[in-house]
Amino acid sequence: MTGTGNSRRTFIAGAGAGAVATAGALSAGIATAPGAAAAPAGAAAAPDGRRVAVLGGGVAGLTAAHELAERGYAVTVYERRALGGKARSMDVPGSARGGRRPLPAEHGFRFIPGIYHNLPDTMRRIPFPGNANGVWDNLVAPREMMFARAAGREDLRGPIPWPDHSPAELTPDEVRRALTGILQTLVRLPLHETAYFVNRVLVFLTSCDERRSEVWERTPWWDFVRAEQMSSEYQRILAVGITRNIVATKAEEASTRTVGTLGEAFVFNLLGRGADGPPDRILNLPTNEAWIDPWEAHLRALGVEFRIGWTVREVQYGNGRVSGVSVEGPDGARQTVTADHYVSALPVEHARRTWSTGLRAADPMLGRCDKLETDWMTGIQFYLTERAPLVHGHLNCIDSPWSLTAIQQAEHWPARDFPADYGDGTAVDCLSVDISEWDKPGILYGKTAKQCTREEVAREVWAQLKASLNDTGKTLLSDSKLHSWFLDPGVDGLGTPHPTNQDELLIHPVGTFHNRPSAGTRIPNFFLSGDYVSVDIDLATMEGANASARAAVNCLLDRDGSAAGRCTVRPLYRAPEMESARRHDLWRHRLGLRNVFDLG
């Protein structure tokens, strides 16, 4: 098996591609540092108070640029690698033959559930040829999901959405009835374990915000659902499996507030309430084709300028403000970016390295970000020469040591004939897999993923997939069907004492929510955007990145005294039928009493 190489940006011809920047929307100025190379051609001044430098071109940075450009600001985005960040797709180098596109790869498969509202709103405002609702019309809904079991255990499948799943009222009794029916049909645990889990769901749904913040934020999900006292099936499916599928985090460490908040929104979505669409949605093309490239074209048409290959080194502070940003250009020379306002949209592990001592001293909130934690979650793609009859949607290999989740992509890309459009014409599908656990031994080599070489990682993941899918008498995945593989190039040094990952994922151990910063800082011209910023969706998600960018822009508009309309920031849906129970729980919590449904 083979699969190494660097990513390459791709472009499509979409609405707005090649449009000329609108007048008055010019880039942030760049002042040349002593001894440095000249500023890039095209950098120009703009009216006072209207120039913004956006640091980072992932979902947060592109959202901030989008909202600012629509409000007349001159925006320049500085991105060290490629637009889209962890959300982008990329080409497999050297894979194209006969005039076809290169095989599509990605950091990890896209998942845009119906509980999101802010990100879909942005997608509707990105033109796409032939789509009335822009890029949003490129979302498609898989028909089912599966928990794939190993060692001959029965695989568990469920349709999406669940039939007859919309109760007339979301009373606690109706929620209990609906969830019990779904779990009993899908999971088939002992009735007392199903009943207990549903009861824990009701405890969270009816908990007041104070209890969530003061108690559940400090309680691991594993403890909240009493996993230690339950069967191995309960542990694997309801404690571990759900957290991996919904919130991509570890049940033993994750805050109940984090898991429960997202779980609450998914429960309401599953029961037919408060969502933008069905619970599971993906894009109908590789991400750059379906979304990122049209977004770039649209932003260029709005006047946004991009500096790709520019690395942010230091946000400088002086006279009570950000005085400039030191950036390193593609030629390795350092320059100082100057603008009126600065939006830091880098992932937290990269952003905090750029905050100067003076900046940190000006706002102690920045120092608390050092306590935020990240971990590895990285994608690998397997290209197949025959379609494998797995599942029409996402699958979760819940018994795999490396906590694998995956989806077959070709059937969800109806606008593309995979063999005719990609690669050498022999690959007909892409099985995209996320590796969530990098520190536990595998089944093939007995090593952790970080201890394996890239080739060993690929062989180990393939072996774990086969162990989960080929264990009931049918060979769904075979070596003869494997064309090639591609592991995210952001991972480096595997098999050495010092492996690195450029794209780590923010995780949510207990107690860390209170270290998340707000979008506005004490520095009047400096704002934070990214999935680590405190917004309603307490999770590292594209929705969180989008919502935080909107919050950052709103803070900037306030500081600038702008008359422009503020960005809408929609919270996660909360059923009004539950509000009386939450008010009752607030009274109980302040008296030191348990939630009324909490049986201990």
Side-chain angles (χ1 to χ4, degrees):
M1 292 188 287
T2 59
T4 58
N6 296 318
S7 63
R8 180 170 66 85
R9 297 178 66 236
T10 60
F11 299 90
I12 64 170
V20 178
T22 55
L26 302 174
S27 77
I30 297 182
T32 305
D48 288 345
R50 308 295 287 178
R51 299 175 303 140
V52 183
V54 174
L55 314 177
V59 171
L62 295 178
T63 301
H66 193 158
E67 299 292 347
L68 287 164
E70 286 186 344
R71 289 159 175 80
Y73 283 81
V75 181
T76 302
V77 176
Y78 297 87
E79 166 57 44
R80 66 187 175 92
R81 187 173 52 186
L83 297 179
K86 289 192 286 287
R88 78 193 188 284
S89 57
M90 61 194 87
D91 296 342
V92 177
S95 63
R97 300 286 188 279
R100 299 178 185 85
R101 302 165 184 261
L103 289 170
E106 57 200 354
H107 168 73
F109 55 73
R110 301 279 70 73
F111 175 48
I112 305 174
I115 67 170
Y116 292 0
H117 289 283
N118 298 293
L119 186 70
D121 173 70
T122 296
M123 298 177 86
R124 287 183 175 94
R125 289 154 45 205
I126 302 170
F128 192 91
N131 287 0
N133 298 299
V135 163
W136 186 86
D137 282 341
N138 290 337
L139 294 175
V140 295
R143 304 199 309 267
E144 59 179 344
M145 55 79 66
M146 179 172 74
F147 290 122
R149 307 304 310 272
R153 296 184 181 92
E154 181 183 6
D155 294 336
L156 307 174
R157 293 174 180 260
I160 305 174
W162 197 267
D164 302 321
H165 66 294
S166 299
E169 293 184 87
L170 288 182
T171 64
D173 283 344
E174 285 296 317
V175 171
R176 187 193 304 275
R177 179 194 61 78
L179 290 183
T180 299
I182 291 171
L183 289 176
Q184 281 295 104
T185 303
L186 175 64
V187 181
R188 304 185 192 96
L189 290 171
L191 182 59
H192 74 278
E193 291 194 345
T194 299
Y196 187 80
F197 183 80
V198 171
N199 176 261
R200 301 309 289 169
V201 172
L202 285 176
V203 169
F204 191 86
L205 293 183
T206 57
S207 287
C208 64
D209 289 339
E210 282 189 16
R211 190 184 300 275
R212 295 183 184 197
S213 179
E214 296 171 8
V215 180
W216 302 142
E217 169 60 21
R218 292 174 170 81
T219 304
W221 178 252
W222 180 267
D223 295 346
F224 179 76
V225 297
R226 306 295 193 269
E228 193 68 36
Q229 304 167 22
M230 301 296 178
S231 67
S232 60
E233 294 293 283
Y234 180 101
Q235 294 172 358
R236 297 302 303 165
I237 298 170
L238 297 182
V240 175
I242 285 179
T243 58
R244 286 296 185 188
N245 256 24
I246 295 179
V247 294
T249 191
K250 298 177 181 179
E252 299 85 348
E253 303 173 2
S255 151
T256 292
R257 182 192 186 281
T258 295
V259 178
T261 299
L262 266 290
E264 175 181 44
F266 273 101
V267 165
F268 294 145
N269 192 180
L270 188 65
L271 299 181
R273 295 293 186 89
D276 182 77
D280 190 359
R281 296 181 300 186
I282 61 175
L283 291 165
N284 64 1
L285 288 167
T287 310
N288 275 34
E289 292 185 50
W291 176 22
I292 302 300
D293 290 345
W295 202 1
E296 177 187 359
H298 181 57
L299 295 183
R300 287 186 183 276
L302 291 175
V304 175
E305 296 199 5
F306 295 95
R307 299 287 182 261
I308 310 299
W310 293 74
T311 302
V312 177
R313 293 302 183 190
E314 184 181 43
V315 180
Q316 301 163 346
Y317 180 79
N319 298 320
R321 302 172 62 85
V322 171
S323 56
V325 176
S326 173
V327 297
E328 186 176 298
D331 60 358
R334 290 207 180 189
Q335 302 180 25
T336 298
V337 171
T338 60
D340 298 287
H341 305 282
Y342 303 83
V343 177
S344 177
L346 300 170
V348 66
E349 69 274 20
H350 297 293
R352 59 194 175 197
R353 291 199 295 263
T354 70
W355 298 338
S356 63
T357 302
L359 193 76
R360 286 169 171 266
D363 191 343
M365 175 182 71
L366 300 178
R368 293 202 302 272
C369 292
D370 293 338
K371 298 179 181 180
L372 297 175
E373 299 180 34
T374 60
D375 202 350
W376 288 35
M377 184 175 185
T378 304
I380 183 171
Q381 287 78 52
F382 295 96
Y383 305 95
L384 309 177
T385 57
E386 294 181 30
R387 293 277 181 92
L390 303 181
V391 62
H392 301 292
H394 289 96
L395 65 91
N396 185 336
C397 300
I398 60 176
D399 296 318
S400 59
W402 290 1
S403 297
L404 307 179
T405 52
I407 190 168
Q408 290 172 273
Q409 295 185 318
E411 71 172 289
H412 304 292
W413 293 349
R416 290 277 179 264
D417 181 336
F418 204 99
D421 290 323
Y422 299 108
D424 60 7
T426 62
V428 303
D429 205 350
C430 172
L431 180 60
S432 187
V433 184
D434 282 353
I435 308 168
S436 297
E437 176 56 73
W438 285 78
D439 295 305
K440 289 185 179 179
I443 63 175
L444 195 60
Y445 298 105
K447 297 191 291 187
T448 70
K450 292 176 183 176
Q451 293 170 335
C452 291
T453 64
R454 297 180 72 86
E455 290 73 19
E456 288 171 340
V457 167
R459 295 190 185 100
E460 178 71 55
V461 172
W462 186 248
Q464 291 186 31
L465 288 170
K466 290 192 294 184
S468 293
L469 297 166
N470 293 349
D471 63 320
T472 54
K474 294 181 180 180
T475 303
L476 303 181
L477 289 181
S478 65
D479 295 345
S480 63
K481 296 179 181 179
L482 182 58
H483 174 278
S484 56
W485 57 268
F486 181 85
L487 177 62
D488 186 347
V491 173
D492 197 14
L494 292 177
T496 74
H498 304 289
T500 60
N501 188 344
Q502 295 186 53
D503 300 293
E504 295 192 15
L505 181 75
L506 182 72
I507 59 174
H508 308 270
V510 293
T512 56
F513 174 77
H514 303 292
N515 294 322
R516 298 179 69 163
S518 60
T521 74
R522 294 184 182 181
I523 299 96
N525 63 338
F526 185 61
F527 309 91
L528 302 180
S529 173
D531 59 15
Y532 67 98
V533 174
S534 180
V535 290
D536 189 62
I537 186 166
D538 175 22
L539 194 69
T541 58
M542 294 184 292
E543 174 77 348
N546 185 279
S548 71
R550 292 166 178 246
V553 169
N554 284 346
C555 290
L556 187 155
L557 296 174
D558 290 344
R559 299 270 178 89
D560 209 29
S562 173
R566 297 321 190 238
C567 307
T568 299
V569 185
R570 288 191 60 178
L572 290 170
Y573 178 78
R574 292 173 66 160
E577 295 96 325
M578 296 289 171
E579 289 307 313
S580 62
R582 290 196 186 97
R583 288 193 297 270
H584 179 69
D585 188 60
L586 178 61
W587 171 77
R588 293 182 62 88
H589 174 64
R590 290 179 175 177
L591 289 176
L593 302 174
R594 288 180 175 179
N595 178 279
V596 70
F597 292 101
D598 195 344
L599 305 177

